[in-house]
Amino acid sequence: MGDVFQFMNVQRNPGDKVEVAVRKIEFKEIYTPLSKTGAGEQAGRCLSCGNPYCEWECPVHNYIPNWLQLVQEGRLFEAAELSHKTNSLPEVCGRVCPQDRLCEGACTLNQVDAGAVSIGSVEKYITDEAFKQGWRPDMSKVVWTDRKVAVIGAGPAGLGCADILVRNGVKPVVFDRYEEIGGLITFGIPEFKLEKEIIKTRRLVMEGMGVEFRLNTEIGVHVTIDELLEEYDAVFMGMGAYKYMKGGFDGEHLPGVLEALPFLINNVRNSMGTLPEGEAHLSMEGKRVVVLGGGDTAMDCNRTSIRQGAQSVICAYRRDEENMPGSKREVANAKEEGVEFLWNRQPLGIEQAADGSLLLRLADTRLGAPDAHGRRAAEVLEGSEQVIECDHVVIAFGFQAEAADWFGHTGIKTDKRGRTVAPEKQPFKFQTSNPKVFAGGDQVRGADLVVRAVFEGRQAAEGMLEYLQIW
């Protein structure tokens, strides 16, 4: 019998963090991987609860206690197989999920102040190590059909969809406008959270399973939607949410004011060596930078600017720290790396000074009464205006989905917020108003977590299998 007090005798260990002085000047993951011994020790801290709250809080409902036990017993390949039964990208989710708000936040060990099991670190250990040792998804029992499906978008929703389809004998052909798979998990998430070799390995694995990728191919430019509808038995759309939300104040279009996503994509492409010809690298070296926003994208912009050598980085958010939507872990990392936070600050406008620098006008706020969703609105305090002089302002207020140009003539409906209408609860899950077209992920729910996009892509694939009468 194992040590029943291991959760007390062994401390929580998500992996050692690289020293600040080193990590703030390089674009590499900041958490060192767990060793076989370390992963086993962390897995052994699990209490194997009769009602595993961690599993219920996980959007894909991973069999967490089960694969933790397999890791503890040294049965790595079985753990990898089980992990992939619920999640198409476990090595990605182990790195980028806000575990403190999901599985680890629900861990029973928090109730006795023992520190949650390091679920995310063990999750990425399983797939990373299994891949290194030659494990690949078991496709030996797949019965191939003559059906094929076009998947638009190689982001988490598209990859989740393709994974389920290919495991059920349907040929997925995945189209993406970028030069690598992953969508925003590749181009919108910096390398200090997710190194891109992880994505390249996943592409090779999925190609080995039978998934075909057609990269640098944009629907409506290189291939028409009508051609896809004619050639394929069904179409899945997982095109994400790329339209940035504006602040609605003067000066947003001044030189030096940047949108978060193009800034992050530019930096990732520069690091990958795939920056398009003629596109300059957006470097913050020696610059005074202010990032507006409080989510994970804002933290990515803060920490990217630090690594580029910014003179200073300030993050201004209209609510207090407790009400920030971003991961507490990412906020803590940003603080350690030198980002200054201004809480309860509302941007009023941006002006350009005579020397070309920017003058950002802010006002103090207080939190008012909760709205219908329980969120307290930020109310501006009169007479509290202040000005910050800077070189760049990066706007990271979030992203919205939007309709493609070809939605109209294909009969695909969107709601008033630009999200594709594709309900889960209907005869064929995630089917759009065009019976042959399905959709999922951020395109349907709005900007959200990677793991939820994976889940909806997988669920949509199940709806397609029923639509194609394979199930």
Side-chain angles (χ1 to χ4, degrees):
M1 183 175 178
D3 181 2
V4 296
F5 294 106
Q6 186 162 337
F7 69 92
M8 295 177 61
N9 297 330
V10 176
Q11 292 185 340
R12 168 180 163 83
N13 175 24
D16 294 333
K17 262 198 287 193
V18 176
E19 293 183 6
V20 173
V22 175
R23 76 179 196 238
K24 67 187 291 186
I25 60 173
E26 62 182 15
F27 285 93
K28 295 181 180 179
E29 290 183 18
I30 73 169
Y31 292 95
T32 58
L34 293 177
S35 64
K36 179 180 180 180
T37 300
E41 288 178 344
Q42 285 302 300
R45 298 181 70 241
C46 177
L47 299 178
S48 298
C49 304
N51 186 7
Y53 297 112
C54 58
E55 190 173 311
W56 291 109
E57 283 298 320
C58 173
V60 293
H61 306 304
N62 280 327
Y63 303 127
I64 296 170
N66 305 77
W67 45 250
L68 286 175
Q69 183 176 346
L70 290 171
V71 170
Q72 185 185 13
E73 295 171 354
R75 298 156 66 184
L76 178 64
F77 282 16
E78 291 173 72
E81 195 69 46
L82 184 60
S83 177
H84 280 76
K85 285 188 180 299
T86 53
N87 193 347
S88 303
L89 301 171
E91 75 282 20
V92 173
C93 292
R95 287 170 164 84
V96 306
C97 268
Q99 286 96 0
D100 56 325
R101 302 202 326 249
L102 299 172
C103 55
E104 293 181 11
C107 180
T108 302
L109 294 182
N110 291 317
Q111 298 177 23
V112 293
D113 296 325
V117 175
S118 300
I119 297 170
S121 298
V122 177
E123 182 178 30
K124 69 179 182 180
Y125 162 83
I126 292 171
T127 299
D128 287 352
E129 288 303 312
F131 281 167
K132 288 177 185 177
Q133 296 181 32
W135 176 85
R136 294 295 183 267
D138 182 10
M139 302 291 288
S140 63
K141 297 179 181 178
V142 173
V143 178
W144 291 98
T145 69
D146 60 352
R147 300 302 186 97
K148 60 179 182 177
V149 168
V151 177
I152 305 175
L159 297 179
C161 179
D163 181 27
I164 295 299
L165 291 173
V166 78
R167 288 173 182 269
N168 285 274
V170 175
K171 176 71 174 181
V173 181
V174 185
F175 297 82
D176 199 277
R177 59 180 171 171
Y178 288 115
E179 62 271 18
E180 183 55 274
I181 72 166
L184 289 185
I185 59 177
T186 296
F187 296 97
I189 296 179
E191 294 93 325
F192 50 80
K193 289 168 63 176
L194 176 63
E195 292 179 10
K196 305 315 167 188
E197 287 301 318
I198 302 299
I199 303 299
K200 293 178 182 178
T201 298
R202 175 54 66 177
R203 172 167 52 84
L204 292 174
V205 168
M206 295 193 76
E207 287 175 338
M209 295 169 68
V211 178
E212 180 181 343
F213 292 104
R214 297 186 186 178
L215 304 176
N216 295 302
T217 304
E218 185 171 357
I219 308 305
V221 177
H222 305 101
V223 181
T224 68
I225 186 64
D226 295 323
E227 289 174 316
L228 296 186
L229 291 170
E230 175 69 25
E231 183 178 350
Y232 294 87
D233 296 295
V235 175
F236 173 77
M237 301 188 302
M239 300 184 294
Y242 284 80
K243 180 182 178 181
Y244 98 106
M245 297 172 64
K246 298 180 180 180
F249 48 78
D250 293 338
E252 283 189 271
H253 302 293
L254 286 173
V257 179
L258 305 175
E259 298 175 25
L261 197 51
F263 170 57
L264 293 173
I265 293 173
N266 175 276
N267 183 75
V268 169
R269 279 179 151 172
N270 183 69
S271 298
M272 292 174 60
T274 61
L275 201 61
E277 184 177 354
E279 182 176 333
H281 178 215
L282 298 173
S283 175
M284 301 295 111
E285 184 176 3
K287 305 295 185 181
R288 300 162 297 173
V289 181
V290 179
V291 177
L292 302 178
D296 286 344
T297 299
M299 297 310 111
D300 292 343
C301 293
N302 289 325
R303 300 175 66 202
T304 293
S305 299
I306 289 286
R307 284 160 175 76
Q308 289 183 340
Q311 177 182 323
S312 63
V313 180
I314 295 173
C315 182
Y317 179 59
R318 60 181 176 166
R319 294 184 175 89
D320 57 19
E321 183 172 4
E322 183 181 348
N323 285 279
M324 287 189 80
S327 165
K328 291 181 173 62
R329 177 180 61 191
E330 295 305 311
V331 174
N333 287 333
K335 287 181 179 179
E336 291 174 1
E337 292 166 7
V339 177
E340 177 187 353
F341 284 85
L342 296 179
W343 313 112
N344 296 105
R345 299 296 202 285
Q346 175 78 38
L348 301 177
I350 307 171
E351 299 173 2
Q352 191 166 36
D355 62 359
S357 63
L358 298 174
L359 303 176
L360 171 64
R361 293 188 296 112
L362 299 169
D364 291 345
T365 66
R366 65 183 174 194
L367 296 182
D371 59 17
H373 302 287
R375 199 101 191 271
R376 298 174 66 189
E379 301 174 348
V380 173
L381 298 177
E382 292 186 16
S384 64
E385 185 173 325
Q386 57 218 255
V387 176
I388 297 178
E389 185 175 350
C390 57
D391 301 299
H392 287 286
V393 174
V394 183
I395 298 177
F397 291 151
F399 309 98
Q400 295 176 321
E402 60 181 335
D405 294 340
W406 36 266
F407 275 25
H409 85 271
T410 52
I412 298 171
K413 295 180 180 179
T414 59
D415 65 15
K416 60 183 180 181
R417 293 170 59 185
R419 299 175 300 184
T420 301
V421 177
E424 180 178 4
K425 295 182 178 180
Q426 57 174 321
F428 302 119
K429 291 182 288 189
F430 292 99
Q431 187 178 47
T432 70
S433 46
N434 182 322
K436 200 173 182 179
V437 181
F438 292 69
D442 289 0
Q443 181 175 344
V444 171
R445 67 184 302 121
D448 206 334
L449 301 177
V450 169
V451 67
R452 291 200 176 103
V454 171
F455 177 77
E456 291 195 354
R458 293 169 63 93
Q459 291 291 299
E462 293 182 2
M464 299 173 92
L465 291 169
E466 292 180 337
Y467 169 76
L468 296 172
Q469 298 183 334
I470 293 172
W471 277 18

